[in-house]
Amino acid sequence: MTETRPNAEHGNGEAQPEPSFPLVEIQDLKTWYPIRRGVLARTVGQVKAVDGVSLAVKRGETLGLVGESGCGKTTLGRTLMGLEQANEGRILFDGQNILAMKPAEKKDIRRRMQMIFQDPLTSLNPRMLVRDIVTEGMRALGMIRDSEAEDTAASLLAEVGMNRESLTRYPHEFSGGQCQRISIARAVSMRPDFMVLDEAVSALDVSVQAQVLNLFMDLQDKYGLTYLFISHNLSVVSHIADHVAVMYLGKIVEYGTVADVIGHPVHPYTQALISAVPVPGRRTQRIILKGETPSAARPPLGCAFHPRCPEAADVCRTRAPRLEISSHRLFACHMRNHDR
Ligand SMILES: Nc1ncnc2c1ncn2[C@@H]1O[C@H](COP(=O)(O)OP(=O)(O)OP(=O)(O)O)[C@@H](O)[C@H]1O
Ligand SMILES: [Mg+2]
């Protein structure tokens, strides 16, 4: 059984009435990887890559997801896409819990959710012509006839700023930025509503990064796309995102608008992350965190951030803070909660 809510038409690029609930709602999501040992590959523990995440992505908005390497950003994105299996929780897409759906029911949802990866070249089949890469999905779903592939591919390439001559070339003939444009054309061909962009510009030169970011924003305006924008680069996130969620060791520690979270971070971890980014005109002291990120296989008791937190008190060592709402934002920190 899947839950349903009144559903707007979707996926055809036309303006739709705005339902009041978010396009994507994640509820207490957990994705753990088993640690296996020995010849019998017995499970001896779990890497708690995503460990109880609740988040909402509003329609037509970009939610930035930031945090240090290994905190679980990619695992969260891949779980949304069905590329990793969740252990617990719910993912509501347009009001329907996709984790409770049968594969056949998920077919259209899968079309409506697309993902762009960090390394553009390896995500493209080296033996396929660009024309076939960008129309493969449409042909598989019967969205176009074979005879329409050439013209459809040309107009998809035009959408991402590439010319018709590219159609009969192979991925290795293009630069990183161009390969990323081809990946974007392929994703857009499915007429998605939601895209997970996982470090989608991180491997590109800075000038190319700006162009590809602008392309994402143009496509968002044109098609009303909703993005989950995963990045470790806070400057890029502040440029493209509306809201931002900060992740630490599988959990969200702060969430709010970009202006609030990046401009006035509340959680000690967010404050440290942001203090490391030079901002013209801002003179804040860099907060250097002690130690490494602990292993997600053995997260510390209490608040997972406490061993590195400059403000940790006894309560932080024993009790995990809940994500509380205060002045338009959410944060999980005993030292900031007045009613602890
Ligand atoms: N397939 C896997 N099997 C086992 N553990 C995994 C797997 N993929 C990721 N992990 C572990 O899960 C945790 C989260 O990894 P993930 O790749 O989601 O982090 P990330 O925030 O995307 O990092 P980065 O910024 O480096 O991309 C890490 O501890 C990682 O080692
Ligand atoms: Mg990652």
Side-chain angles (χ1 to χ4, degrees):
M1 261 293 280
T2 56
E3 295 161 65
T4 47
R5 293 199 214 172
N7 205 343
E9 275 191 54
H10 51 71
N12 56 8
E14 289 166 23
Q16 302 296 337
E18 284 257 309
S20 54
F21 53 91
L23 180 62
V24 179
E25 206 174 334
I26 304 163
Q27 296 175 348
D28 206 16
L29 189 69
K30 294 183 183 165
T31 308
W32 297 355
Y33 297 107
I35 305 168
R36 298 188 203 278
R37 292 273 151 73
V39 274
L40 298 176
R42 278 196 315 131
T43 301
V44 294
Q46 306 280 347
V47 176
K48 298 180 176 179
V50 174
D51 196 25
V53 166
S54 297
L55 269 181
V57 196
K58 298 183 180 168
R59 283 161 210 276
E61 279 204 3
T62 299
L63 173 65
L65 182 63
V66 302
E68 285 166 306
S69 184
C71 71
K73 305 180 295 297
T74 294
T75 305
L76 179 59
R78 288 176 58 86
T79 309
L80 293 183
M81 298 300 302
L83 300 171
E84 301 293 345
Q85 206 175 345
N87 295 62
E88 269 179 45
R90 307 200 318 160
I91 299 169
L92 304 183
F93 184 79
D94 215 355
Q96 303 180 70
N97 182 12
I98 50 178
L99 295 183
M101 284 182 176
K102 299 190 182 78
E105 295 173 313
K106 269 193 267 197
K107 211 170 148 198
D108 195 50
I109 301 267
R110 289 287 159 241
R111 174 190 67 73
R112 296 174 64 193
M113 302 171 86
Q114 296 292 320
M115 186 161 180
I116 303 283
F117 300 90
Q118 172 166 359
D119 186 351
L121 191 54
T122 55
S123 66
L124 302 174
N125 185 336
R127 281 181 286 277
M128 277 171 78
L129 292 173
V130 170
R131 177 192 58 211
D132 300 328
I133 290 172
V134 297
T135 53
E136 188 186 22
M138 297 182 93
R139 282 180 287 134
L141 294 181
M143 292 162 75
I144 52 165
R145 285 192 289 272
D146 285 350
S147 59
E148 296 167 318
E150 188 91 10
D151 286 343
T152 307
S155 66
L156 283 165
L157 286 187
E159 292 259 27
V160 298
M162 291 181 68
N163 59 31
R164 206 177 176 110
E165 282 73 71
S166 314
L167 286 177
T168 48
R169 290 164 65 190
Y170 290 94
H172 70 264
E173 299 177 57
F174 296 94
S175 68
Q178 288 169 323
C179 284
Q180 202 58 309
R181 286 174 192 271
I182 296 166
S183 304
I184 297 166
R186 177 178 59 182
V188 166
S189 79
M190 295 285 94
R191 300 185 202 149
D193 297 308
F194 176 65
M195 284 172 51
V196 174
L197 313 177
D198 188 2
E199 303 282 6
V201 298
S202 307
L204 308 176
D205 291 345
V206 175
S207 61
V208 181
Q209 280 192 8
Q211 293 165 8
V212 176
L213 281 180
N214 285 336
L215 174 62
F216 282 128
M217 290 194 281
D218 290 346
L219 292 169
Q220 180 167 49
D221 283 348
K222 188 164 174 190
Y223 295 114
L225 292 169
T226 304
Y227 292 146
L228 177 67
F229 189 89
I230 298 174
S231 178
H232 63 273
N233 185 331
L234 284 161
S235 323
V236 169
V237 168
S238 60
H239 185 66
I240 193 168
D242 301 284
H243 284 83
V244 57
V246 183
M247 200 166 176
Y248 187 80
L249 222 56
K251 291 186 161 64
I252 302 300
V253 296
E254 185 159 357
Y255 166 88
T257 63
V258 165
D260 280 344
V261 175
I262 297 193
H264 308 281
V266 163
H267 195 285
Y269 176 63
T270 320
Q271 289 178 339
L273 267 190
I274 285 164
S275 78
V277 183
V279 174
R282 191 185 68 189
R283 295 185 61 192
T284 41
Q285 199 165 5
R286 170 125 194 227
I287 304 166
I288 310 275
L289 290 176
K290 32 181 189 178
E292 299 276 303
T293 315
S295 159
R298 283 179 310 283
L301 288 176
C303 171
F305 183 57
H306 87 257
R308 302 172 75 197
C309 181
E311 299 178 46
D314 283 348
V315 61
C316 311
R317 289 179 255 278
T318 53
R319 204 152 51 83
R322 283 201 313 262
L323 206 52
E324 314 252 356
I325 188 156
S326 174
S327 34
H328 310 298
R329 81 173 81 196
L330 294 163
F331 55 86
C333 175
H334 292 302
M335 305 315 288
R336 301 288 188 269
N337 291 344
H338 301 297
D339 55 349
R340 71 193 150 96

